[in-house]
């Protein structure tokens, strides 16, 4: 869950980003002070084939790699196409745009201001995750997931 | 005057391409050579070189009931031999892929015999007897109906049709059945339709360039190609069909 008082924005790229591009983009984002939280969105890249006759067999995928953001290593679980950001205030956006522009040399991108993360749990969230779901994760990712958010230190 | 089919409405190049693909008199341009062995590998129904498994004895060896329709219709080679029914399924990207699901079903119905096409929003499956399938698949993969980057041979986990492309121009594939070789620029198929890794990769050729795709696509796309609303004749036709279908829902009685 996110607090409604903080502004949000969304970075959409024209193409899905390779892990190397994602790494460059995220490192540029964290170089800008004032970003509170990020969510990486895109189609999932499972480690094993989820269904069909090959179900359960390994699914090697060149886009599922471990990248280094700041001093933290993280394994990508999606093919990143959209990055949602929660900001300290709206003044961060021009600096953010200037920081990420050099990353997108071969294709375009857009920054949209708006509300992209949930600020209130819905009835469906309650039905799916129950009354004791992790309030920090609900509305951003699956609270039942074993993978936890990555905390990037030293940005303040 | 003999009836001449029109195949479809429209005045844009997209409409013209649709008509060309549907017209069985139009010979589809061959763009790549795919060997029989490679196709069998990609589809993954049998080992290359093995005999065709059968589901019933050949027609010549079994008693057929007296049926006028059976006398009229010549069986296909696969039906004659009693082959199993097998499939090939394609996903086509929205970004100017040369073919698309509805179009595939139409053109297959015009061009091929003994098939059962199934159309979905982002994928299209065609089922038929195994040896007929291999013959048809060769035409579907080797000609202008296929692009190495924007068309996928996908039996399951087909998602990709409506998604953005990868940085290298390939359509998204959760199982990454086809990979683009950076050095040679050739697309290699490394897994069969359902995601089982192949023993040897299949080179399917280079992706077509953006200019060719834009000129040969059968997909309307207002951003990357020709928008549907830029073709007033097509819009009129679709509106007419829509209107007639809605009215039929109320069962109008003609006076």
């Amino acid at each position: 869950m996110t607090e409604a008082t903080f502004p949000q924005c969304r970075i959409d790229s024209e193409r899905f980003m390779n892990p190397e591009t994602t790494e460059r983009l995220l490192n540029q984002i964290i170089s800008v002070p004032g970003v509170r939280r990020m969510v990486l969105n895109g189609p999932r890249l499972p480690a094993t084939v989820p269904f069909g006759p090959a179900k359960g067999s390994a699914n090697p995928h060149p886009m599922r790699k471990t990248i280094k953001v700041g001093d933290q290593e993280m394994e990508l679980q999606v093919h990143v196409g959209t990055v949602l950001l929660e900001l300290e205030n709206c003044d961060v956006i021009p600096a953010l745009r200037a920081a990420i522009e050099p990353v997108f040399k071969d294709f375009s991108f857009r920054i949209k201001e708006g509300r992209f993360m949930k600020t209130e749990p819905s009835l469906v969230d309650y039905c799916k995750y129950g009354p004791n779901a992790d309030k920090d994760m609900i509305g951003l990712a699956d609270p039942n997931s074993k993978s936890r958010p990555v905390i990037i230190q030293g940005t303040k | 005057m003999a009836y001449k089919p029109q195949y479809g409405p429209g005045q844009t190049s997209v409409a013209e391409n649709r008509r060309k693909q549907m017209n069985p008199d139009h010979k589809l341009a061959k763009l790549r050579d795919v060997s029989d062995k490679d196709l069998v590998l990609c589809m993954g129904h049998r080992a290359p070189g093995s005999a065709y498994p059968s589901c019933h004895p050949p027609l010549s060896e079994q008693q057929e009931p007296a049926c006028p329709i059976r006398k009229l219709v010549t069986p296909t080679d696969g039906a004659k031999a009693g082959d199993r029914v097998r499939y090939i399924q394609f996903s086509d990207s929205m970004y100017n892929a040369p073919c698309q699901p509805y179009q595939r079903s139409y053109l297959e119905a015009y061009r091929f015999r003994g098939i059962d096409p199934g159309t979905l929003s982002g994928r299209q499956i065609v089922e038929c007897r195994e040896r007929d399938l291999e013959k048809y698949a060769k035409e579907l993969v080797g000609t202008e109906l296929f692009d190495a980057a924007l068309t996928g041979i996908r039996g399951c986990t087909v998602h990709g049709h409506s998604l953005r492309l990868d940085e290298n121009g390939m359509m998204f594939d959760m199982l990454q059945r086809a990979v683009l070789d950076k050095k040679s620029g050739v697309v290699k198929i490394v897994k069969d339709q359902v995601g089982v890794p192949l023993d040897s990769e299949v080179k399917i050729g280079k992706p077509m360039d953006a200019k060719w795709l834009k000129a040969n696509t059968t997909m309307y796309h207002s951003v990357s190609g020709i928008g549907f609303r830029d073709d007033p004749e097509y819009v009129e036709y679709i509106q007419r069909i829509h209107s007639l279908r809605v009215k039929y829902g109320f069962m109008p009685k003609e006076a």
Side-chain angles (χ1 to χ4, degrees), chain A residues 12-18 21 43-46 49-54 57 59-63 79 81-82 107, chain B residues 87 95 155-159 163-170 172-176 179 182 191-192 194-197:
Chain A
D12 286 314
S13 59
E14 190 191 347
R15 296 263 171 115
F16 283 130
M17 289 177 274
N18 288 348
T21 314
R44 204 165 73 88
L45 303 171
V49 179
F51 36 76
S57 57
N59 177 30
H61 200 295
M63 300 302 163
H79 198 172
T82 305
F107 51 94
Chain B
Y87 69 92
Y95 292 95
C156 64
T157 330
V158 295
H159 199 37
L163 298 184
R164 283 167 276 176
L165 303 176
D166 293 0
E167 273 188 44
N168 57 13
M170 297 285 288
F172 172 80
D173 184 2
M174 191 198 268
L175 304 186
Q176 201 75 25
V179 286
K182 265 187 198 166
K191 292 178 185 174
D192 73 4
V194 294
V196 177

Side-chain angles (χ1 to χ4, degrees), chain B residues 193-210:
Chain B
Q193 281 195 101
V194 294
V196 177
L198 296 177
D199 295 335
S200 58
E201 58 197 27
V202 170
K203 286 184 180 147
I204 205 84
K206 288 186 179 179
M208 303 307 285
D209 60 59

